[in-house]
Amino acid sequence: MVLVTMIFAVFGFLSPSNRGGLMTAMLLLWVFMGIFAGYASARLYKMFKGAEWKKLAFRTACMFPGIVFAIFFVLNAIIWGQKSSGAVPFGTMFALVLMWFGISVPLVFVGGYVGFKKPAIEDPVRTNKIPRQIPEQAWYMNPTFSILIGGILPFGAVFIELFFILTSIWLNQFYYIFGFLFLVFIILLITCAEITIVLCYFQLCSEDYLWWWRSYLTSGSSALYLFLYATFYFFTKLEITKLVSGLLYFGYMLIASYAFFVLTGSIGFYACFWFTRLIYSSVKID
């Protein structure tokens, strides 16, 4: 969704002066791309010999939007309580739920069905049924430490651009340089993939084979730095004194950080998945 939105913005289809246009485009793209979400999750699930693809499709369709919608609904309820004109009307909320369950969820199920019908992804080598004991690890290979270190580089790639994006959102200025933003996004993709592959390689070299979730969290931890930077920005650049305004700011930045976590984590995981398959498929076993 992010990639397609960026491409549209670069070619000038989405005007930055039309504030709602960008958001509407992102929502519509998200809803219609449910088919890819279902397909990708079903392929991975089948590789792990999973059988209940309907449960999987339902979780895929509901987990991310569900958490985002819950935070959004609470924030909106707070604005309603303040009788503000900035609150999203009930009709719009209903339309969002209708789009979610009327278009997105069925498309995820379609994608899941197609993905599950495909043959399972084969492992390049036979894996041992008995898990091997992991030797004592060096202090710098501690999961918490390596995960937190892994998030610094992807965050550093978007750090400067983040300032301009936050300024355009919270200080009511227009953001025009979508071409540069697209370039930064490509750099972010590459950085997430590279740092996760490097740390995964070190991990495998020290005979620690538990890389699955760690690869996701390594690049995903950049979202933590994003939220910390948003907090720093709040106290240094914004002059917000009301509690409700502060809650709104942190609520929306929490949604943005969670989306960033899912995005960067997925990039890191798929890069590692490709990398491990590549190195193990070239291992010669007599």
Side-chain angles (χ1 to χ4, degrees):
M1 176 201 76
V2 173
L3 188 66
V4 177
T5 310
M6 293 261 192
I7 293 168
F8 279 0
V10 167
F11 288 126
F13 294 130
L14 302 169
S15 166
S17 54
N18 178 8
R19 284 291 166 114
L22 199 65
M23 204 67 215
T24 310
M26 286 175 84
L27 273 171
L28 283 172
L29 280 170
W30 170 266
V31 164
F32 286 109
M33 286 190 168
I35 196 157
F36 296 115
Y39 180 80
S41 57
R43 287 301 305 270
L44 264 181
Y45 184 63
K46 192 166 182 183
M47 184 188 148
F48 288 119
K49 317 244 181 325
E52 300 178 338
W53 71 269
K54 287 173 190 159
K55 260 188 194 173
L56 170 89
F58 184 72
R59 284 175 189 165
T60 306
C62 293
M63 189 182 163
F64 178 80
I67 293 170
V68 170
F69 189 79
I71 299 169
F72 178 66
F73 189 79
V74 169
L75 294 176
N76 210 43
I78 293 168
I79 315 177
W80 267 338
Q82 295 288 311
K83 297 189 170 49
S84 163
S85 61
V88 176
F90 184 74
T92 312
M93 289 287 255
F94 183 69
L96 284 175
V97 174
L98 207 64
M99 272 169 63
W100 178 14
F101 285 104
I103 305 171
S104 183
V105 175
L107 281 178
V108 173
F109 270 89
V110 169
Y113 177 77
V114 173
F116 204 74
K117 282 282 172 246
K118 290 258 178 176
I121 301 167
E122 293 291 330
D123 290 325
V125 287
R126 277 212 316 273
T127 46
N128 200 348
K129 291 279 184 274
I130 303 154
R132 187 186 291 183
Q133 192 175 359
I134 298 167
E136 186 85 18
Q137 299 292 310
W139 64 271
Y140 53 84
M141 288 312 291
N142 179 20
T144 315
F145 181 74
S146 69
I147 283 167
L148 289 173
I149 288 294
I152 294 173
L153 268 176
F155 170 72
V158 295
F159 166 68
I160 303 294
E161 210 55 26
L162 200 60
F163 172 78
F164 294 114
I165 293 168
L166 288 179
T167 307
S168 78
I169 295 171
W170 300 108
L171 295 178
N172 209 26
Q173 294 177 7
F174 290 120
Y175 187 87
Y176 283 103
I177 36 179
F178 282 113
F180 191 69
L181 181 65
F182 184 68
L183 193 67
V184 169
F185 181 67
I186 299 299
I187 293 168
L188 173 72
L189 293 184
I190 296 164
T191 316
C192 282
E194 284 184 348
I195 189 74
T196 317
I197 286 172
V198 167
L199 287 171
C200 177
Y201 178 71
F202 285 149
Q203 189 186 338
L204 292 173
C205 283
S206 56
E207 294 182 41
D208 183 356
Y209 49 82
L210 302 171
W211 62 271
W212 294 87
W213 274 107
R214 198 151 142 187
S215 65
Y216 192 93
L217 294 170
T218 298
S219 52
S221 65
S222 52
L224 175 68
Y225 295 107
L226 187 139
F227 192 74
L228 290 174
Y229 178 72
T231 311
F232 169 76
Y233 185 86
F234 178 81
F235 289 113
T236 54
K237 293 281 184 281
L238 302 179
E239 292 167 9
I240 293 176
T241 48
K242 285 186 179 173
L243 175 68
V244 172
S245 304
L247 280 173
L248 272 182
Y249 176 83
F250 283 108
Y252 283 129
M253 288 321 295
L254 188 66
I255 290 176
S257 300
Y258 177 49
F260 194 70
F261 168 71
V262 173
L263 171 76
T264 49
S266 303
I267 296 161
F269 166 72
Y270 273 110
C272 255
F273 184 59
W274 169 79
F275 170 71
T276 44
R277 285 177 65 80
L278 190 72
I279 57 172
Y280 282 105
S281 60
S282 53
V283 171
K284 298 284 182 285
I285 300 169
D286 296 326

